[in-house]
Amino acid sequence: PSPAPPRSLSSPPSAAPGGGVPEQVAYTRDASTYDSRTSTFDTYRHQLVDLLPLRPGDVVLDVGCGTGLCFEQVRDRIGADGAIIGVDASRDMLEVAAGRIAGHGWRNVLLVQSTVEQAELPAVVDHVLFCATHDVLQSDAALDNVLAHVRDGGTVAATGGKWAPPWAIALNAGILALHAPYVRNFTGFDRPWNRLEARLERLRVREVAMGGGYLASGTVPSRIVPLRAGPLDRESDEAGPRQARR
């Protein structure tokens, strides 16, 4: 029998990130073509996952997971005993992700449809990735919610676009055209990792694409009361897809 698609673990948001701002077409009406339109970023997606010290059994949070383009590489490393939690505000993107999950027969990938700020995350995770999620990285509330669910010493990795040096006028014009469909607000686009830097230890940043992109990673500091990753409380797969009530 065909595997049941993963259930959404929280109710859909009534508004897009930012509160009442309409969703971007790139993440709604055009969700079915997102993979092909962003295929040029695949190299950086792979390099992003490589920044995480993944081991079998790890629990990984994919923030702004979209259609699940990072899922396969992550699952190959964490195995069937690990788990992936994908969070995204777009129902259309998650429908594509659910199809990807069902097609692979994965039983350890859970999807949460919610803004990151309001997401009810079901576990403390080992590691987190942010792939092309500029607007989320500029939200203090989103970062605080995510990092509150990462164990002490867990790795956080991020990649995305950024402004090249100011003198690279032509390059920056191309960067603007490339990222405009996916970025709601370009505030902080010169150093997208700034808010992460204030929250993580040993943040390392490497610029790529002639300064038009970056890869960053750091670790969650130790807390006074240590926070450790725990087993994911998975509901029975036999129930089929449904949404948990708030």
Side-chain angles (χ1 to χ4, degrees):
S2 299
R7 62 190 50 80
S8 173
L9 296 181
S10 64
S11 56
S14 59
V21 180
E23 289 185 309
Q24 293 161 286
V25 169
Y27 299 131
T28 54
R29 188 181 67 198
D30 295 341
S32 62
T33 62
Y34 180 85
D35 292 7
S36 60
R37 287 185 290 109
T38 64
S39 60
T40 55
F41 301 129
D42 284 347
T43 295
Y44 304 116
R45 292 187 181 104
H46 285 286
Q47 292 181 24
L48 173 68
V49 176
D50 286 343
L51 292 174
L52 301 178
L54 299 177
R55 299 182 300 177
D58 279 349
V59 181
V60 178
L61 176 61
D62 187 344
V63 180
C65 67
T67 63
L69 285 168
C70 292
F71 288 173
E72 184 170 5
Q73 188 182 358
V74 172
R75 196 193 181 278
D76 284 347
R77 300 187 184 190
I78 64 174
D81 292 332
I84 300 170
I85 303 168
V87 181
D88 204 282
S90 169
R91 180 188 300 274
D92 301 271
M93 297 286 276
L94 290 182
E95 285 179 353
V96 178
R100 185 187 307 277
I101 295 164
H104 284 277
W106 295 328
R107 291 289 188 176
N108 59 340
V109 183
L110 303 180
L111 300 179
V112 177
Q113 185 189 346
S114 174
T115 60
V116 180
E117 291 86 347
Q118 298 174 338
E120 297 177 0
L121 302 175
V124 174
V125 305
D126 293 288
H127 307 293
V128 179
L129 60 86
F130 294 86
C131 186
T133 56
H134 177 75
D135 294 309
V136 174
L137 290 173
Q138 306 314 303
S139 168
D140 289 320
L143 293 179
D144 288 345
N145 187 27
V146 167
L147 296 181
H149 292 82
V150 187
R151 68 166 172 82
D152 291 15
T155 299
V156 177
T159 190
K162 62 176 288 293
W163 295 131
W167 50 263
I169 297 174
L171 178 56
N172 280 321
I175 290 170
L176 176 61
L178 183 65
H179 291 281
Y182 312 104
V183 176
R184 192 181 305 283
N185 188 327
F186 281 86
T187 300
F189 209 66
D190 54 337
R191 289 174 56 88
W193 56 84
N194 260 1
R195 285 177 166 80
L196 281 179
E197 190 170 32
R199 292 169 166 82
L200 301 178
E201 293 180 339
R202 298 183 292 278
L203 186 75
R204 297 182 178 182
V205 180
R206 177 168 65 91
E207 294 191 2
V208 297
M210 296 184 291
Y214 70 95
L215 287 153
S217 66
T219 57
V220 173
S222 297
R223 300 165 172 90
I224 296 175
V225 178
L227 186 64
R228 297 182 175 87
L232 193 62
D233 183 15
R234 305 179 197 176
E235 299 174 85
S236 170
D237 288 322
E238 302 303 320
R242 66 180 180 85
Q243 294 175 344
R245 297 179 181 176
R246 284 183 179 272

